[in-house]
């Protein structure tokens, strides 16, 4: 059984969003394994519960794919039952030191560093304020509040602060959390009577608190109340706090006034929409990083066509490169034009379907073959249903041909997938957001 978990992790890595994988799966360590069961070590009870509630089926599925056996999964909290407290301690499976901050919050995306952030007039103030905070946590601006529209680089910058502090001050404990996860964590903790543990983690254990997308606290009075006390305690203890939001603090609706006013105690900086010249450099840098040869005319075409969000600009580049790759043709200005002029939505059969499947698979970190496969757990079936929904809505393809494209499914299967996903989209904001993101990447919204 010993190799099992390592292999399973390799499989899971290909099936999950990298942030989710790094946050929740990669820290799990196998401590015991007999025929038919696998015990995984987790840092605390919250972690165990979260993984059990959200990832157990996906894990079981991956274990099945690796071993072809039904294996029961147990969790053991590190430090309990004579186990040493592995994640709070110094050593990790490879004997390397892991610093304590990795225990605290969500993992940082490796790519979101200052190195990969392209600076221009619209973001240079935010960028240099972040650099100053990272050079001297709690010594320059505290709290720092970064605000700006969607896809302008807020998450990238706040995570860059985390990376840089980690590099400069390896002993500092950094807690990065999205507002959305914070709310979920607080709600789960309340339900399970574990609020004290969460408080301890935020207030007693952390030197740097990074909260991304604070607007998710809107309307969540209880989470706001918790956050208010956490904020005060950390602030009084002179710990660095960095927050991002989609609006100027006082403009965030449905957040209590006393919290909003605290967000303005330190420095407030905004990130504006990128200028043309900056957009050109961003596309060029992204292409270079991915080893894609991009001519100047294509770079400036994309930069002039996608003006309001860096995320959309990156999505357009992805789409154009996907077309060139799939059709094995050069990435010319003409191709870029046709792809971004919504050629994806016309009824040209295979190419269109292929591109939709590729973009959907990529978005969920899956292979196109997963979408076509018979696998049924949610990590695959939800993306597959989204692909079906998009194909139906935007390509006008028949149920039969959609079924064909997805590994020979019948039209009744396609129909029931359609009705299922519509309910999910209505009831789950996260799924709706994913769909919107993909539609944007495909140039359909
Ligand atoms: P936000 O959090 O503001 O919605 P993100 O930080 O997620 O936006 O940025 C969206 C995408 O654009 C990310 O992939 C990010 O790396 C990229 N991006 C944004 N601004 C820049 C920049 N100045 N240089 C390089 N990449 C950027
Ligand atoms: Mg963000």
């Amino acid at each position: 059984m010993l190799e099992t978990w390592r292999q399973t992790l390799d499989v899971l890595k290909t099936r999950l969003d990298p942030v989710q994988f790094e946050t929740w799966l990669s820290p799990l360590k196998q401590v015991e394994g007999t025929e038919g069961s696998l015990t995984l070590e987790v840092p605390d009870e919250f972690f165990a519960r979260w993984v059990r509630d959200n990832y157990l089926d996906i894990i079981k599925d991956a274990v099945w794919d690796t071993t072809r056996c039904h294996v029961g999964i147990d969790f053991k909290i590190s430090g309990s039952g004579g186990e040493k407290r592995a994640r709070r301690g110094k050593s990790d499976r490879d004997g390397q030191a892991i610093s304590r901050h990795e225990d605290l919050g969500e993992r940082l995306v490796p790519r979101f560093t200052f190195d990969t952030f392209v600076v221009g007039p619209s973001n240079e103030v935010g960028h240099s304020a972040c650099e100053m905070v990272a050079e001297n946590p709690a010594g320059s601006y505290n709290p720092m509040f970064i605000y700006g529209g969607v896809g302008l680089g807020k998450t990238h910058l706040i995570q860059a602060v985390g990376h840089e502090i980690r590099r400069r001050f390896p002993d500092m404990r950094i807690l990065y959390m999205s507002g959305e996860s914070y709310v979920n964590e607080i709600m789960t903790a309340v339900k399970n009577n574990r609020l004290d543990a969460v408080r301890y983690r935020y207030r007693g254990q952390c030197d740097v608190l990074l909260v991304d997308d604070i607007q998710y606290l809107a309307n969540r009075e209880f989470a706001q109340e918790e956050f208010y006390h956490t904020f005060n305690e950390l602030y009084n203890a002179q710990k660095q706090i960095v927050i991002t939001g989609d609006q100027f603090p006082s403009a965030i609706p449905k957040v209590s006034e006393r919290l909003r006013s605290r967000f303005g105690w330190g420095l407030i900086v905004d990130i504006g929409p990128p200028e043309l010249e900056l957009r050109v450099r961003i596309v060029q840098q992204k292409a270079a990083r991915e080893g894609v040869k991009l001519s100047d005319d294509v770079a400036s075409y994309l930069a002039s066509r996608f003006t309001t969000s860096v995320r959309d600009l990156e999505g357009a580049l992805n789409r154009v490169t996907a077309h060139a790759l799939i059709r094995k043709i050069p990435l010319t200005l003409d191709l870029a034009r046709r792809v971004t002029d919504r050629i994806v939505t016309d009824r040209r059969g295979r190419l269109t379907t292929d591109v939709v499947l590729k973009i959907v698979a990529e978005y969920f970190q899956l292979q196109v073959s997963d979408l076509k496969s018979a696998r049924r757990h949610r990590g695959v079936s939800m993306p597959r249903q989204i692909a079906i929904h998009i194909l139906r809505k935007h390509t006008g393809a028949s149920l039969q041909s959609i079924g064909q494209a997805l590994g020979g499914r019948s039209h009744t299967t396609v129909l029931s997938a359609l009705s299922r996903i519509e309910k999910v989209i209505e009831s789950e904001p996260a799924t709706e957001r994913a769909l919107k993101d993909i539609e944007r990447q495909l140039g359909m919204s």
Side-chain angles (χ1 to χ4, degrees):
M1 280 317 270
L2 262 174
E3 272 301 292
T4 307
W5 181 240
R6 197 194 299 274
Q7 289 165 2
T8 307
L9 274 179
D10 287 341
V11 172
L12 285 166
K13 192 171 191 160
T14 65
R15 295 186 181 168
L16 286 163
D17 168 86
V19 178
Q20 288 181 2
F21 177 81
E22 287 301 326
T23 311
W24 300 110
L25 279 308
S26 149
L28 299 174
K29 275 174 59 181
Q30 177 181 352
V31 284
E32 273 157 38
T34 54
E35 213 65 49
S37 93
L38 192 62
T39 303
L40 301 172
E41 189 179 86
V42 289
D44 54 38
E45 210 171 310
F46 168 74
F47 207 102
R49 217 174 278 273
W50 189 273
V51 171
R52 197 178 289 130
D53 289 351
N54 294 286
Y55 298 104
L56 194 58
D57 289 342
I58 298 172
I59 293 175
K60 282 188 175 160
D61 207 70
V63 173
W64 166 259
D65 287 345
T66 351
T67 62
R68 297 283 148 196
C69 308
H70 285 291
V71 174
I73 313 268
D74 294 316
F75 294 98
K76 178 169 193 165
I77 295 175
S78 54
S80 68
E83 266 306 313
K84 66 181 191 318
R85 295 179 66 82
R87 292 192 81 246
R88 300 260 180 257
K90 281 212 212 73
S91 70
D92 133 48
R93 36 200 173 251
D94 303 314
Q96 297 164 336
I98 42 172
S99 33
R100 285 162 296 175
H101 60 252
E102 289 194 84
D103 291 350
L104 287 176
E106 295 179 272
R107 297 257 175 136
L108 302 176
V109 175
R111 174 169 75 79
F112 287 169
T113 58
F114 285 128
D115 281 352
T116 58
F117 192 83
V118 187
V119 184
S122 56
N123 61 26
E124 66 184 339
V125 174
H127 171 263
S128 47
C130 284
E131 276 193 331
M132 286 175 79
V133 163
E135 278 163 27
N136 191 4
S140 50
Y141 307 116
N142 198 22
M144 180 165 66
F145 191 97
I146 309 164
Y147 75 97
V150 177
L152 297 185
K154 300 183 296 296
T155 298
H156 191 138
L157 269 184
I158 194 175
Q159 293 208 4
V161 171
H163 282 296
E164 186 62 16
I165 294 180
R166 174 190 290 184
R167 196 178 69 78
R168 285 174 183 263
F169 310 96
D171 285 338
M172 280 200 172
R173 294 158 306 178
I174 302 166
L175 203 165
Y176 169 84
M177 206 38 127
S178 74
E180 195 172 20
S181 309
Y182 180 76
V183 170
N184 288 336
E185 187 178 5
I186 296 293
M187 301 324 253
T188 313
V190 170
K191 214 166 57 199
N192 301 321
N193 246 327
R194 296 287 303 169
L195 208 49
D196 47 348
V198 176
R199 281 181 187 149
Y200 174 67
R201 210 152 62 82
Y202 279 85
R203 300 180 197 171
Q205 290 236 299
C206 113
D207 300 308
V208 178
L209 178 65
L210 309 171
V211 182
D212 198 8
D213 287 326
I214 196 78
Q215 68 273 10
Y216 281 103
L217 265 65
N219 273 328
R220 306 294 193 149
E221 276 114 41
F222 189 81
Q224 285 181 32
E225 178 74 17
E226 271 306 304
F227 189 70
Y228 175 77
H229 293 294
T230 293
F231 183 104
N232 288 343
E233 216 158 295
L234 292 177
Y235 183 85
N236 291 336
Q238 299 191 352
K239 308 290 190 188
Q240 178 71 49
I241 302 168
V242 183
I243 299 169
T244 74
D246 62 353
Q247 293 180 68
F248 193 82
S250 61
I252 304 176
K254 313 263 160 58
V255 167
S256 74
E257 183 46 43
R258 58 179 192 174
L259 200 47
R260 284 191 300 202
S261 78
R262 272 167 177 70
F263 296 159
W265 278 1
L267 180 71
I268 303 176
V269 287
D270 77 313
I271 304 184
E275 299 78 11
L276 176 65
E277 189 262 346
L278 175 59
R279 299 198 299 274
V280 173
R281 283 190 290 130
I282 290 174
V283 205
Q284 284 170 334
Q285 191 229 37
K286 180 173 162 71
R289 233 183 20 238
E290 291 174 4
V292 173
K293 274 193 98 137
L294 195 67
S295 64
D296 288 347
D297 54 351
V298 174
S300 43
Y301 170 74
L302 291 174
S304 56
R305 178 95 166 54
F306 296 87
T307 55
T308 50
S309 143
V310 179
R311 185 174 298 137
D312 290 355
L313 180 60
E314 291 189 332
L317 176 65
N318 282 340
R319 206 166 0 127
V320 173
T321 1
H323 272 265
L325 265 173
I326 290 169
R327 297 162 71 187
K328 301 195 173 56
I329 53 175
L331 207 173
T332 58
L333 178 57
D334 186 48
L335 175 76
R337 277 219 175 92
R338 282 189 297 134
V339 170
T340 51
D341 281 344
R342 308 183 175 215
I343 195 166
V344 193
T345 61
D346 81 5
R347 304 180 187 197
R348 293 175 27 137
R350 292 205 55 90
L351 164 68
T352 302
T353 311
D354 283 349
V355 170
V356 170
L357 295 187
K358 183 163 177 5
I359 298 281
V360 171
E362 226 160 60
Y363 185 88
F364 291 103
Q365 310 275 323
L366 295 168
Q367 307 293 326
V368 171
S369 59
D370 292 320
L371 299 177
K372 298 185 176 187
S373 75
R375 304 183 35 220
R376 304 185 59 167
H377 79 76
R378 197 180 142 80
V380 177
S381 66
M382 195 271 282
R384 182 184 298 128
Q385 289 165 11
I386 287 200
I388 291 175
H389 174 85
I390 291 176
L391 287 170
R392 184 67 179 163
K393 181 162 151 202
H394 296 289
T395 71
S398 67
L399 297 175
Q400 274 86 352
S401 67
I402 292 174
Q404 273 310 310
L406 283 155
R409 293 177 145 72
S410 72
H411 79 280
T412 42
T413 311
V414 173
L415 201 58
S416 72
L418 280 172
S419 71
R420 220 169 309 138
I421 191 68
E422 267 153 36
K423 288 199 195 93
V424 177
I425 292 167
E426 260 171 39
S427 60
E428 282 180 14
T431 308
E432 190 193 357
R433 250 199 325 277
L435 172 67
K436 290 235 169 78
D437 272 355
I438 296 168
E439 288 185 325
R440 239 200 337 263
Q441 286 196 17
L442 286 162
M444 290 165 178
S445 67

